Amino acid sequence: MHDLPSSGTSARDELSGLLAGLLDKAPGATRALLAAGDGLKLAWTEQPTDDADNLAAVIAGLYSLGRQQFKDTQGGIRQVVVEHDAGTLFVMSAGAEFKDAKAVNTVLAMVATPQAHPGQVGYEMEAFIRGLDEHLVVNARGNAFSLSGL
């Protein structure tokens, strides 16, 4: 379980710090980002804001496409992986599947080099998610924005 500091830092800063720690645990991972399922970036590792905005939109789109394909079935999307010669993009559902219309799913992404071990990256992402799951509920944009419990 990850402990979130209660000092004067914002929830975004605290989560960004935890994402930086996640990168350290997954050799070859270069970027990490946490976004609402609707594409709003919540926290990210050091990268230009435009890059973080773009990555948030990409992962929200991938996640949504996967959900659409299986819309008539039970369960939820666990992971989407895009392999490219330049590296791999890992996308995982980071919040529990909430049926509440006032909440949207949270999505975690990591970008890694071709040399990164996919199993290690996936393991570290899943451990990160398990440690913060109860905090990863995000209100839909029409409602007040907040990360639960932070």
Side-chain angles (χ1 to χ4, degrees):
M1 175 71 76
H2 300 282
D3 291 324
L4 295 173
S6 59
S7 65
T9 60
S10 71
R12 176 173 290 139
D13 292 340
E14 292 171 9
L15 280 172
S16 293
L18 292 172
L19 287 173
L22 174 61
L23 287 181
D24 292 340
K25 294 178 181 179
T30 59
R31 292 186 288 162
L33 181 133
L34 191 63
D38 64 359
L40 176 67
K41 70 182 184 305
L42 303 173
W44 56 95
T45 54
E46 290 186 31
Q47 57 189 290
T49 301
D50 287 346
D51 290 351
D53 285 334
N54 183 52
L55 183 56
V58 166
I59 67 174
L62 286 171
Y63 184 77
S64 179
L65 288 170
R67 285 181 64 182
Q68 183 63 29
Q69 176 60 41
F70 296 100
K71 68 180 182 211
D72 297 327
T73 63
Q74 293 288 333
I77 299 296
R78 289 186 297 272
Q79 181 175 347
V80 177
V81 178
V82 177
E83 291 184 80
H84 187 276
D85 292 338
T88 306
L89 169 62
F90 300 87
V91 181
M92 281 189 181
S93 176
E97 290 286 333
F98 291 93
K99 306 299 183 212
D100 185 345
K102 295 177 184 172
V104 295
N105 290 320
T106 308
V107 184
L108 174 65
M110 289 186 74
V111 178
T113 65
Q115 294 76 28
H117 188 279
Q120 181 69 28
V121 174
Y123 172 82
E124 294 300 342
M125 289 176 74
E126 202 158 311
F128 179 87
I129 292 164
R130 275 193 314 273
L132 287 177
D133 193 48
E134 70 275 9
H135 299 290
L136 298 177
V137 179
V138 179
N139 288 331
R141 288 190 199 204
N143 302 301
F145 170 78
S146 70
L147 289 172
S148 173
L150 296 180

